[in-house]
Amino acid sequence: MESLLVNLRKYRPRENNDPLENFLTEAFAWLLRSNREVLQAVLECINNKLQPPINVPDGDIFISTQENFNNKFPDLVISWHDCTLVFEHKVNSPLHLNQLQNYREYALKTYDNHKIILITATSFQHAQKPDAALCWEEIYKCLIVLADKINDEHASWAIEDFLSLLKSEGLGPKTPMNRFSIANYLEAVKFSEQVDSIFKEAQKLVWPLQSIGMEPVFKRQGTESRVGLEFCPTIKDKGRQWLPGIFCGVLLDGADHGVKNFTNNELKLCLVFDFNRTGQETIKHSENYKKFKEGLKSFVNDWEYIDTAVEPNAKHNKWHPIIILKPMLPLFESTNTHQEQVNIVLGVFSELQKNLIERPEFIKLVEELTVTKSSVTK
């Protein structure tokens, strides 16, 4: 069997390539070469995604990495006498422009029969119409079944080692938030890890606020006692600014935000409007801000709207003056998978964001704050 370490030593770094993807590719190829049962199991997993399926041979199968497709380099090529599978592997990065089409054009000129196979961290990365698209989690599930029944001790060790690699990089099966953990937060030992995973996954998705230049960044903020995604505009050389910052996530404790009386010892989903010092001074006299607050109440629907500056049961927080809350448990109690929970986060907060950017008073407020900050930095 070929040496994994030797192959890694020969690996030629390429621009814009994630080193983890390179390592994962060589480890995967090494595993496939290690045992025919392993290779057959993975090919069957892929075959289940192909329409029509291919005939997997009993004869020789060749596995190679770093193949040169006219100066384009697919991650892995598996071939036999009448078929070639061309693989692209992704972890954190998206596909490059026309990446799979470039492989296909070369393969059409070179092979009689070929299939393009895409393996990624999540299904949201599936794009450019491969012949089969899988997630590393599916490879994990395929291999863990084989690990329990394969008789080859060396192959069993190789599988376990590869599964450990996938799991350590968050590419194995993801554990969803336990609905009972939501109800009993202090007793939910794994809750922090699980909720972080939900929002880290959600950060990779497409959000309405991105259409106006507000990009999401995952935040677990201890002082504010909240975890989720922070959307902010970028102002010239000042970087990300709360002008406003829009936080979409989970409020773990309402004390810092001044809404302790509204949390009722429950975990709440929250949308929070954050303002830095420049923003705080601007909104004191802003008609756009006044109109924005008046309009905001009309579309929050079943969310609880709190203006901490005027709400008698709240403590005014000038950094986070407006907070919208919704109980978390009812939304998640019927879910069973990590992906269902990611989808809920996306759906719930996307609806609010769409309503926001459709309101002219909100857009005018953002423009006013941006102009104010830009003039200050000159």
Side-chain angles (χ1 to χ4, degrees):
M1 184 177 67
E2 293 189 32
S3 168
L4 169 62
L5 295 180
V6 170
N7 282 350
L8 284 173
R9 179 66 183 88
K10 293 188 293 186
Y11 212 99
R12 182 173 67 84
R14 303 197 298 275
E15 187 179 0
N16 298 323
N17 260 32
D18 182 349
L20 173 58
E21 291 174 2
N22 297 346
F23 187 90
L24 189 62
T25 289
E26 287 298 341
F28 189 42
W30 173 77
L31 177 64
L32 296 176
R33 295 184 187 110
S34 69
N35 182 276
R36 186 61 181 243
E37 285 184 78
V38 174
L39 176 59
Q40 291 287 137
V42 170
L43 289 178
E44 287 299 327
C45 179
I46 293 168
N47 217 3
N48 290 334
K49 299 282 186 172
L50 290 170
Q51 293 296 332
I54 56 176
N55 294 318
V56 179
D58 295 326
D60 291 339
I61 298 179
F62 303 94
I63 302 168
S64 61
T65 58
Q66 306 180 66
E67 289 285 337
N68 189 335
F69 278 30
N70 195 23
N71 292 321
K72 307 293 182 183
F73 298 88
D75 288 303
L76 178 71
V77 174
I78 299 178
S79 60
W80 54 92
H81 68 281
D82 63 353
C83 188
T84 298
L85 305 181
V86 180
F87 289 73
E88 181 59 31
H89 300 155
K90 293 296 181 185
V91 179
N92 297 314
S93 61
L95 289 166
H96 307 318
L97 181 65
N98 297 326
Q99 187 169 9
L100 299 190
Q101 182 59 28
N102 290 333
Y103 298 159
R104 193 180 299 280
E105 288 175 359
Y106 180 89
L108 283 168
K109 298 175 183 177
T110 310
Y111 308 112
D112 293 333
N113 182 27
H114 73 275
K115 302 292 181 184
I116 306 295
I117 314 299
L118 178 64
I119 308 179
T120 64
T122 73
S123 59
F124 294 105
Q125 295 166 282
H126 292 167
Q128 300 187 14
K129 299 181 179 179
D131 295 298
L134 300 89
C135 294
W136 287 110
E137 179 178 346
E138 294 173 271
I139 300 296
Y140 184 103
K141 291 177 179 178
C142 161
L143 291 173
I144 200 168
V145 171
L146 183 62
D148 291 336
K149 61 183 183 182
I150 197 167
N151 292 321
D152 185 330
E153 183 177 346
H154 181 79
S156 178
W157 170 83
I159 293 171
E160 292 291 347
D161 220 34
F162 187 71
L163 293 177
S164 295
L165 172 63
L166 291 179
K167 192 171 182 179
S168 69
E169 297 297 338
L171 299 174
K174 298 177 177 64
T175 306
M177 289 184 290
N178 187 302
R179 55 185 177 271
F180 302 109
S181 297
I182 297 173
N184 303 281
Y185 168 63
L186 296 178
E187 298 175 20
V189 177
K190 294 184 178 180
F191 179 79
S192 293
E193 177 184 348
Q194 292 166 339
V195 75
D196 285 5
S197 176
I198 296 296
F199 283 95
K200 286 178 180 178
E201 195 72 39
Q203 181 186 350
K204 304 172 186 176
L205 308 183
V206 178
W207 292 92
L209 283 173
Q210 289 176 296
S211 67
I212 60 169
M214 290 189 172
E215 295 294 331
V217 172
F218 172 79
K219 297 281 187 177
R220 172 173 280 279
Q221 297 171 316
T223 301
E224 292 87 350
S225 194
R226 64 189 192 183
V227 57
L229 301 180
E230 180 188 82
F231 295 81
C232 291
T234 299
I235 310 297
K236 294 187 176 180
D237 59 342
K238 296 296 181 180
R240 292 170 60 84
Q241 298 285 314
W242 282 1
L243 290 166
I246 299 179
F247 186 87
C248 298
V250 180
L251 190 64
L252 305 176
D253 182 341
D256 177 75
H257 286 70
V259 293
K260 185 72 173 178
N261 292 337
F262 295 86
T263 54
N264 301 318
N265 294 320
E266 292 181 81
L267 290 177
K268 297 284 183 84
L269 291 184
C270 65
L271 189 146
V272 182
F273 292 89
D274 302 323
F275 295 91
N276 61 15
R277 295 186 189 278
T278 300
Q280 291 164 26
E281 288 301 312
T282 302
I283 63 176
K284 286 180 181 178
H285 312 289
S286 172
E287 282 299 311
N288 287 324
Y289 181 66
K290 181 179 178 181
K291 291 177 181 177
F292 162 68
K293 289 199 297 180
E294 292 171 354
L296 184 60
K297 295 180 184 179
S298 67
F299 70 79
V300 294
N301 299 324
D302 54 346
W303 290 71
E304 189 170 19
Y305 170 88
I306 306 165
D307 181 348
T308 65
V310 299
E311 172 57 55
N313 292 320
K315 180 180 178 181
H316 179 44
N317 185 321
K318 61 183 179 180
W319 299 94
H320 320 295
I322 301 177
I323 302 168
I324 304 171
L325 299 175
K326 179 191 283 285
M328 187 176 182
L329 181 58
L331 289 168
F332 290 88
E333 63 183 348
S334 62
T335 61
N336 296 298
T337 68
H338 178 271
Q339 193 58 59
E340 285 178 321
Q341 294 172 352
V342 173
N343 292 343
I344 285 175
V345 166
L346 177 64
V348 165
F349 287 112
S350 285
E351 181 181 4
L352 285 177
Q353 290 185 14
K354 286 176 184 176
N355 281 324
L356 271 178
I357 63 178
E358 288 172 0
R359 309 196 78 80
E361 59 268 24
F362 172 71
I363 301 300
K364 289 178 181 178
L365 175 63
V366 173
E367 292 173 349
E368 179 184 11
L369 290 166
T370 302
V371 169
T372 300
K373 185 63 177 181
S374 298
S375 63
V376 169
T377 60
K378 289 181 179 178

